[in-house]
Amino acid sequence: MSTAAFRTVFGSLDDYRKGSIEIIQGEARHYAFSNIFEVAGQSAPYEKVVVGLNLGYVIETLRADGQSPWYTAAHDEFAISVDGEVRVDFLKLDEPLVEGDGTRLAGPQPKGRPMGYVLLKRGHQALLPAGCAYRFDSPRPGVLLVQTILGPLSVEKWADICLK
Amino acid sequence: MAMLESLDTSPSFAADEVEASLPDSVTGYRSFRLGAFTLSRDEYFVRIQWPAKGQQRSHLIPADAFLRATMRDVAWGFFYGWVNFDDVIGTRNHYGKVDLYAGTFNGVLREAGVDYTERFETPKIMATFKAILRDWTNAGFDPFAAPEETGSAFGRKKGDNLEAIERFRVATRRMPGLPDDSPLRDDLPVNRQFADVPQDEPEIHAAEGFEGELHAFNLYKYLSRSDVTWNPSVSSVCKASLFCPTTEEFILPVFHGNDRVEWFLQLSDEIIWDVADKDDGSPRARITMRAGDICAMPADIRHQGYSTKRSMLLVWENATPNLPQRYESGELKPYPVEF
């Protein structure tokens, strides 16, 4: 029996192997199949590219590279770092957003009290609480997943990212 | 369990509605009646019988496969839509009532008119399935585990494994690890196939006065300690959007036909999905997903996954209640995006 240890394969911007669809009947595009590392590799820093859409709810892939704008939302959002290391700073807004769906820009210098920051490595997930502002910072290119609702910053470009 | 609402699945709930025989004098197993269905097992097989066209019809499923499928159906509270145990037998969730069917979603059997469906109140079918699991799961067999991790389901009745089939179910309201929310898994050991997954937690630096308001955890560590396979469990909630990651090894014990669109994001390693027509079971596609791949499962298909190495999968569900009717009426297309 082999004693070689199991190796868990994660993807990264520099190292991923996209899968495939073998169609028997129907159309490949109905599966909206993309790879988040490929998408992030082709995106501008912090471009919120929609890779999953379910009746208004979205999963977005962001290329984490340098400092992002301040964001806010009227509902909880979540971020998972899937490649690289990212710092997330939080502000308790003096005037929190209370209406609307999806991520909004909070302005260049939102008014609020610094709540602190979290440092995310690969596989780490952070809560982005409703009504707070948050900002990402990544010294080297990385990849983030954001669970949120389709908003004014969401970018849909399915034909560019999906298998057809 | 990937739904916001939760069912009472305690062993005693609706137990008085279970129709069970005395133990068989040879095999030691009880048989069960559920409406016009009879379910029994022997050393190797589960036998399901039903009436159609004036005859008794029957179908055999290997006992290990049957128990793995039933385990998921029970743990998920009948889940979303169709849970096919195989090409013949399965359940359809109507959220309060549940159909048990034989051949109804098999093109050939349905065409021949030998299929049968009966609808049950959820507590009755749940209590019966739980009683079946308790009676038919022997000591040493864990129907929630991958084959390499557990013993045999076969042979005559010997003991039971109540601990394995009555695991505490995780219901997450916002995110695991928050006060008054589901716990992290620091008490569970790292699975042998995730021994190389880093176990460090994110650094949280809360400013004075905001202690406890920032929250983050190591999702991959959390998944590396999952003690079950193929069991989507909620890890973050954005209104009706539920992230339900799970760890997968061997074969998804059911062929899931959803009553809505769901999405898969492969977080590690590789899964191959067999995709077939939801109504008649004819093959449609075979999808290979590797780390970073994301794809939709349309609302008109059924799917079953194969994972050689234990892998991490994010299952993403929209738990909005009225979706089945909106897909069935044609208001919503079965696939999520057009481009």
Side-chain angles (χ1 to χ4, degrees), chain B residues 153-168:
Chain B
F154 300 125
R156 293 177 181 173
K157 181 154 179 67
K158 45 181 185 297
D160 50 41
N161 194 354
L162 300 183
E163 201 177 315
I165 63 175
E166 279 161 18
R167 283 184 175 94
F168 177 75

Side-chain angles (χ1 to χ4, degrees), chain A residues 8-9 18-20 22 24-25 29 31 34-36 53-54 57 76 92 115 117 119 123-125 127 147, chain B residues 174 196 200 203 205 207 213 215-217 219 236 241 261 269 283-284 286 288 290 292-294 296 339:
Chain A
T8 302
V9 178
K18 194 173 180 175
S20 60
E22 300 164 52
I24 298 155
Q25 49 175 329
R29 66 179 65 215
Y31 300 92
S34 67
N35 180 285
I36 59 173
L53 174 65
N54 200 331
Y57 294 104
D76 281 347
K92 191 83 163 181
M115 300 173 72
Y117 63 96
L119 298 176
H124 294 180
Q125 171 180 323
L127 169 65
Q147 177 188 14
Chain B
R174 197 177 182 202
D196 60 340
D200 60 315
E203 287 181 35
H205 300 270
E213 286 199 41
H215 185 59
F217 77 125
L219 176 67
S236 49
S241 158
V261 171
D269 306 294
R284 282 209 189 167
R286 195 169 164 82
T288 301
R290 304 203 183 97
D293 289 339
I294 177 169
F339 58 90

Side-chain angles (χ1 to χ4, degrees), chain B residues 4-23:
Chain B
L4 288 170
E5 70 274 24
S6 63
L7 293 166
D8 185 345
T9 58
S10 58
S12 57
F13 186 65
D16 56 329
E17 295 192 47
V18 176
E19 299 171 52
S21 74
L22 291 171

